[in-house]
Structure formats: structure tokens, C-alpha cells
Amino acid sequence: MTTMVELDRDSAAAIAARLIPERELRPRSVDEVAALPPFAAKLEECGRLVGVPYCEAPAAVQDALVLRRLRQIVNTVLLNPLWRERLHHFGVTGPPDTLADWESIPLSDRTVQRDMFMGARAGMVVPIERGGFQVVASGGTGDGMPLEIVYSLRELRDTYRIAGAFMGAYQLARYLHGPGPRWLSTTLADYQMWSSGTMVGGVLSRVPGVNYIGAGPVTPPVLAHLFSYPGPKAVMGITASIGILGEMGAAMPAPARESLRVAMYGSGLLPQRKRTELAAVYPNASVLSYFAATQAECVGLQLDHTRPELAAVPGLHLVEIVDEHGRAVPEGQEGELVVTRLHAHETPLLRLKLGDRMIRRGPTDGPGPRTARFEFAGRSGDVLHLNDSQYSAALAYAALRDELRAAAGIDLDRDAHDVQFVNHRESRVLCLVVAVDDADGRTAELDAALGPAGPARLFTAALPRALSLFNDREATPETIERSGYGFRLLFVPRASPEIERTAVGKVPLVRDRT
């Protein structure tokens, strides 16, 4: 057995070549692809060779094996006529020699995904007629259009097991402890074809040592029944459903509320108001994020409730944070989230943009897992277009929140249940709509502190701080005043239709109107 201290780059490459030998690296037919050993087996064998679980293996070993797998993936997709035509169009005729070369592979988007995996499903290397696949549908919260992806069942089950084991060992172990059985439930998905109900549930059900409950949407009595079970508990759901756990459980007995140790929300950000409410009702609960997508059952996990970074599950996907040219951004910079599923012999999808912005953070470096880290910065569509200028909606909201607190003493972290920018682009009016408990009272406070023209002053002061480092001279309060835009800050009741919600209850940060 090779010890970790002896491993240099050449040794790591030799291990990768041993794990994926030349005969497997270049499959020559669809039949050979269908017969390839699963990548999960390679991860397990790698762990045996280096003497630690793969997720704790040195970065050089992980990088070498991932590169070897990417080379295998490219050789595989070149067997498919549609993929071959696409890659040749971009000048890619063979596998990458380095991870930098991999960045020459064109990025994929929702349109590419539809072309490859819907209708004739022409992007599948192994045809769907052979069987053994699962179709997973999107929840429809992106562009509203149908979106499906196809997975090999054998590879999907492998990834559930890998992600579940990682989640149990490196995320939940520090929170779910104490006497009694341990429970992990999800309120996701009221129909099982939607990705959240199948894929996330698949991961959660494979966390070792816990009892899994696929609860689906719950009422307060059902939640109280679940929390009556003895032992520590974790609950996972979309951001909105985690946000209402406080009010749903307020009437439960103290022992039941104290048994919640983890409140885990899906992709996005949980408002500070909701975190405060959760802490008041569930004093032992830590809030963590679980980042997933239709195309990737577990993109990133927040391992520490005191730090916002998400950690990739080693060996599950190649996670990239890239600029507009598809090149990796430096650490500390924001870019587009791109994933490539590493367990996809039969149904590969290369370099898929998930529609999220992330800040690239430095990798973890042991003890424990060694893996890439990144921090959620918003959806790719969370951009405010004011004439020819583009502003980050997330940065704009943070700056407006600070301006409002300083000018009127109104704390959106404390008061807001939901916030949404509505940009009336034709009439050139930008409005921040805020759902609160006492809309009339907050409006009166705002008018008393600022007067009718006050909100405009807040926007003109805040928006220049919502530009990136590289174009922060593009706008000043004076240029925003001359933009011809009007600005409003509107407080509405919690259930107001002024805030647009998706069919599954998510609140997009930005909505454009004509």
C-alpha cells in the first residue's frame, strides 16, 4: 500500500492510470460503454491504495483520477453522433491532457440538455431502449419550460450511497448525537418525478445510522407527530418550507422542539428573519444548506453552520466556477456554477451551467475531507438591468438593507419574510417589495422618516455598491439620478400577490416586467 507522504504528481497519475487502464479509457463501442466498471468502484479502490477514504485522499490523487475520468468521458461521448458533432464544432476532437485543457469543452445549458435528453434523447450514449434508466423532471422553477434528464439506475444508486455516506460522516455526525434513534426527514416533492422527491430523497435515505422519512409537504399536526418520536432530528426542505417551521412548531411541547438539531434548506438563501424565528422555537437547531439540482443530486453541502461555504462531495461531480469564457475564476471571485457528473457512462452531460452564481473559495485541506468549496451568490438571473447598466440584485439588496436601517431604523433582517425586486423596464420603475407582518405600520415609519421621495435616495446611494469590482466606476448616485428610473420601496402583507411565487413556493429575487 502506498502511503500519502510518498505521493507526488507522477505517482498520483500512475495510480489513476492503474485504476482506469487504457482498455477502459477508450471504449470502442456502445456495448463496451455499457460494460464499463462503475466509477464508484474506482473511488473505493483508490481509497484502498492510498490507505484513507477517497474523500480524504491527497488533492494530487483526486485531481489525477478526476482528469483520467474526464478523458474517459470525452472518449465515450465521441461515440455518440450528436455529441461528436457538437465537440468537433468547437474544435474538440480528443480527450483533454490537463484540467486546463478540459476548459476547451463547450459549456452546456438547458437547451443543450433538452436536445440531448428529451424527445428522441439523442445524446444518450447507450440508447434508452436498452432499459435500466430513470427519467427525472425539473420542478419548473427556472424558465418554466419542461426539462428532463436521464440517469443510469446503477450509477444513480452509486451516487446516492457516496453522497449519503459523506453527508453522514462529515456533516450530520457533529449535530445528530445523543440518546435515542436519529431521524432525517424531508418535506420535498409532492410528486415523485420531480427531482427533489427522487434524487435528494435518494441521498438522504442512504445516510448511515439514521431513520429516513420522506414526509412530503406536512401540516402542523403531522410535524408534531414526527417530532414526538424520541431522538434527535434533522429536517430538509426547500427554503420556504424551512422558513415556516418556526410557526408550524410553535405550539409543540418543549421536548419535541428541542429534539430538532438540523434545519436544512435547499438551494438559495434563508432570510435572517427566518433564522431568528427558527432559533426562538428550536433552541438546539443549526441551520445548514444542501445544494442540489435536477442534474445533480448533491452539488454542495454546508458542513459548518458558522461558515457559509459549501463543500463538494469528492468524486461525485466536477464542480467549476467559471467566467463568461468558461475559464476558472480565481479564488474569491464570483462566477457561473458548472457541473459535470462523473458517474455517467451511459448518459453523459458535459459542463452544464446550473443557472447559479457562486464565489470560488479555497479547498478544504484535512484533516477530514479534501474537496472544492464555493459560496452561493445568487441565481444567474438575479441581475437588475437599469438601461445599459447591470447590477447584482443580491448586492443591491444588501446595500439597500443597510441604507434603510441607517436612515429609518427599519431592519429588514428582523422584519422581512420575503423580498423581491420588480423591474418595470418599459416604464423604468424599480421597486423592492418586502413582505412583513405589519405592512401599514412599516409604511408609516418609512414615510415619517424619509418622506415621499425618501426611497429614491436609498436606491441612488445603494446601487453603486452593487457593481462588480471591475466596473464599479460605471455608476454614481448622480448617474443613477439621471437614468430616468424611478424607485419605490413597498411593504406588503405576507400573503400578498404583489410578490410572485413559483408553483413550488419559491420567491425569485428578481422579476422583470415590460
Side-chain angles (χ1 to χ4, degrees):
M1 180 181 297
T2 306
T3 61
M4 288 191 294
V5 294
E6 298 171 347
L7 292 174
D8 54 20
R9 193 178 299 272
D10 290 340
S11 300
I15 288 176
R18 174 178 171 180
L19 291 168
I20 303 179
E22 195 70 20
R23 66 181 181 278
E24 296 176 9
L25 185 67
R26 305 175 189 274
R28 293 168 295 180
S29 68
V30 169
D31 288 336
E32 288 191 9
V33 172
L36 285 173
F39 187 57
K42 309 299 183 180
L43 301 180
E44 292 167 1
E45 179 62 19
C46 181
R48 286 191 287 270
L49 289 175
V50 300
V52 294
Y54 173 81
C55 59
E56 297 183 11
V61 173
Q62 293 191 24
D63 289 347
L65 183 54
V66 167
L67 175 60
R68 189 80 172 173
R69 173 65 184 124
L70 295 177
R71 289 174 56 82
Q72 185 185 39
I73 291 174
V74 173
N75 286 329
T76 298
V77 300
L78 287 172
L79 296 172
N80 175 277
L82 188 58
W83 275 110
R84 185 165 60 247
E85 177 185 1
R86 174 171 169 76
L87 293 188
H88 285 182
H89 175 77
F90 286 92
V92 178
T93 58
D97 291 324
T98 66
L99 287 173
D101 291 339
W102 169 256
E103 295 180 345
S104 298
I105 302 290
L107 299 176
S108 300
D109 57 15
R110 287 172 176 265
T111 299
V112 173
Q113 183 178 335
R114 289 190 182 98
D115 291 344
M116 295 292 179
F117 295 103
M118 296 186 69
R121 310 192 196 275
M124 295 178 61
V125 173
V126 177
I128 199 166
E129 289 80 8
R130 293 200 176 201
F133 297 99
Q134 176 172 322
V135 175
V136 179
S138 167
T141 59
D143 56 11
M145 299 287 289
L147 189 66
E148 293 177 352
I149 189 72
V150 183
Y151 295 100
S152 159
L153 278 170
R154 62 167 182 154
E155 292 177 310
L156 194 58
R157 291 169 185 144
D158 282 342
T159 59
Y160 290 164
R161 176 173 48 80
I162 292 168
F166 183 88
M167 191 175 180
Y170 301 109
Q171 186 190 45
L172 294 180
R174 65 178 293 189
Y175 297 103
L176 288 185
H177 51 77
R182 300 185 298 165
W183 303 91
L184 176 57
S185 61
T186 178
T187 62
L188 289 173
D190 49 0
Y191 62 98
Q192 285 298 300
M193 192 174 175
W194 181 28
S195 60
S196 300
T198 55
M199 300 184 72
V200 173
V203 173
L204 301 184
S205 66
R206 296 303 303 271
V207 174
V210 303
N211 303 293
Y212 169 68
I213 300 175
V218 298
T219 60
V222 172
L223 188 69
H225 176 73
L226 294 180
F227 278 33
S228 71
Y229 301 163
K233 302 170 185 69
V235 174
M236 191 274 168
I238 65 170
T239 305
S241 65
I242 295 302
I244 63 173
L245 280 182
E247 59 190 79
M248 290 185 69
M252 287 194 300
R257 291 185 284 107
E258 291 165 0
S259 71
L260 180 63
R261 304 297 172 80
V262 173
M264 192 178 304
Y265 64 96
S267 310
L269 294 171
L270 188 67
Q272 183 58 44
R273 165 69 185 263
K274 300 302 182 183
R275 294 173 180 268
T276 302
E277 291 178 354
L278 286 170
V281 177
Y282 305 102
N284 297 326
S286 296
V287 177
L288 299 171
S289 176
Y290 180 122
F291 199 94
T294 304
Q295 306 83 354
E297 65 284 4
C298 185
V299 181
L301 294 169
Q302 184 180 357
L303 304 184
D304 183 345
H305 69 279
T306 67
R307 300 180 61 89
E309 297 92 349
L310 302 169
V313 178
L316 207 59
H317 311 94
L318 175 66
V319 177
E320 302 175 81
I321 313 299
V322 304
D323 60 20
E324 62 272 21
H325 305 296
R327 301 292 179 180
V329 301
E331 288 183 13
Q333 294 296 313
E334 179 183 318
E336 187 87 5
L337 174 63
V338 171
V339 300
T340 301
R341 184 182 176 88
L342 297 176
H343 302 256
H345 287 317
E346 295 143 305
T347 59
L349 180 53
L350 310 186
R351 303 197 79 200
L352 178 67
K353 297 191 294 184
L354 291 186
D356 296 283
R357 304 287 293 176
M358 294 285 178
I359 301 168
R360 183 182 175 193
R361 299 301 187 193
T364 60
D365 191 27
R370 301 184 181 197
T371 188
R373 292 190 303 175
F374 42 94
E375 184 178 343
F376 182 73
R379 293 288 294 171
S380 298
D382 289 349
V383 176
L384 300 173
H385 298 265
L386 272 63
N387 300 329
D388 294 328
S389 296
Q390 299 181 18
Y391 302 83
S392 162
L395 293 178
Y397 171 72
L400 272 170
R401 177 199 61 203
D402 295 343
E403 292 289 335
L404 182 62
R405 184 188 293 123
I410 297 175
D411 188 344
L412 295 185
D413 280 347
R414 178 196 64 206
D415 298 335
H417 292 283
D418 294 300
V419 297
Q420 187 172 75
F421 285 104
V422 180
N423 190 359
H424 301 269
R425 297 179 70 170
E426 190 172 298
S427 58
R428 292 199 289 184
V429 174
L430 178 64
C431 180
L432 178 63
V433 186
V434 183
V436 296
D437 290 328
D438 182 8
D440 291 339
R442 290 292 175 264
T443 300
E445 289 180 33
L446 182 70
D447 291 344
L450 303 179
R457 297 203 308 273
L458 300 181
F459 278 84
T460 55
L463 284 172
R465 307 207 298 274
L467 290 166
S468 75
L469 175 67
F470 302 104
N471 62 350
D472 60 0
R473 296 182 181 179
E474 186 175 315
T476 64
E478 292 73 28
T479 59
I480 291 172
E481 287 177 355
R482 295 195 299 268
S483 68
Y485 253 82
F487 302 98
R488 295 180 60 205
L489 179 57
L490 179 63
F491 291 105
V492 299
R494 291 183 61 181
S496 172
E498 293 276 356
I499 288 186
E500 182 178 329
R501 293 170 172 81
T502 69
V504 294
K506 295 183 180 181
V507 177
L509 183 56
V510 178
R511 276 294 178 256
D512 283 324
R513 302 277 190 269
T514 55

